[in-house]
Amino acid sequence: MCHAVIPGSFDPMTLGHLDIIKRARSHYDKVSVAVMINDAKSYLFSLEERLEIARLTLKKYPDVEVIGDRGMLVDLFDRIGADVIVKGVRNEQDRAYEEAMAKYNREQNPRAHTVFLEAADDYEHLSSTKVRELLQCGASLDGLIAADALPYVMARFVEAKQ
Ligand code: ADP
């Protein structure tokens, strides 16, 4: 039994994230998505909203567990009995950052190894930042976030602006 945890901000979860999660599902017995909160970051969507967007995005994959966490990834890793961290990488900049994070996590918890999955060609230019920018401009998010999550994302964004 190999249990993978896929951590991130998911502000909001995109089809690029979903692609990594679906691929991890085919490699590991159990996949948990950890929606994290980092006090140093500011988010467009609250933790509860980011969790709901992740749940809606993963509606067709009920075997994928979605959890929210305000602490350290290495602590969550032990608490849920994970065996590996899975991260998507889009480019060299992502890889350099994620490798530094992976080293840090391994120093904190020698069991916490990270496996990198390369972004699919279709999604290598897709980021949550781009989605947030398009939302601010009122542009379409079709093909960028899951159709199941789109109405919720739009409604929460409109409400937050009022
Ligand atoms: P971001 O760095 O965009 O705020 P998150 O923290 O939400 O991203 O992302 C979690 C992980 O997902 C990171 O490892 C990031 O590299 C990866 N990721 C983000 N977008 C994509 C994508 N389009 N394809 C593959 N991996 C991605």
Side-chain angles (χ1 to χ4, degrees):
M1 160 92 183
C2 194
H3 179 184
V5 60
I6 308 185
S9 305
F10 306 114
D11 187 32
M13 184 174 278
T14 68
L15 290 182
H17 294 128
L18 177 61
D19 181 65
I20 296 291
I21 296 163
K22 279 161 57 179
R23 281 157 58 197
R25 252 179 104 241
S26 67
H27 294 305
Y28 300 101
D29 303 303
K30 179 171 178 184
V31 172
S32 299
V33 169
V35 181
M36 308 295 287
I37 194 155
N38 174 344
D39 289 331
K41 276 194 180 179
S42 60
Y43 300 99
L44 178 61
F45 295 100
S46 68
L47 178 60
E48 284 65 33
E49 290 167 346
R50 288 184 282 127
L51 277 166
E52 184 60 13
I53 295 166
R55 286 190 204 103
L56 290 166
T57 303
L58 292 163
K59 207 166 145 187
K60 296 189 185 80
Y61 308 97
D63 54 303
V64 177
E65 178 184 44
V66 178
I67 42 189
D69 197 77
R70 293 175 181 272
M72 298 270 292
L73 174 60
V74 285
D75 296 334
L76 176 73
F77 183 90
D78 276 344
R79 204 163 64 243
I80 66 174
D83 301 295
V84 66
I85 298 166
V86 172
K87 283 282 193 162
V89 289
R90 289 161 289 200
N91 48 43
E92 283 314 306
Q93 196 187 337
D94 259 6
R95 187 174 288 277
Y97 176 78
E98 294 300 347
E99 275 177 3
M101 287 303 297
K103 185 166 182 277
Y104 172 79
N105 287 329
R106 222 172 39 248
E107 281 163 6
Q108 302 296 310
N109 181 345
R111 273 197 344 103
H113 282 272
T114 303
V115 166
F116 300 106
L117 295 182
E118 276 180 31
D121 291 348
D122 285 350
Y123 301 123
E124 66 183 346
H125 300 296
L126 177 52
S127 65
S128 297
T129 307
K130 181 173 173 181
V131 167
R132 292 195 300 272
E133 283 169 4
L134 291 172
L135 256 176
Q136 311 275 5
C137 313
S140 164
L141 298 183
D142 284 352
L144 305 182
I145 69 166
D148 284 331
L150 197 51
Y152 179 82
V153 168
M154 299 308 291
R156 295 308 305 169
F157 181 69
V158 169
E159 240 180 81
K161 274 200 352 186
Q162 282 169 356

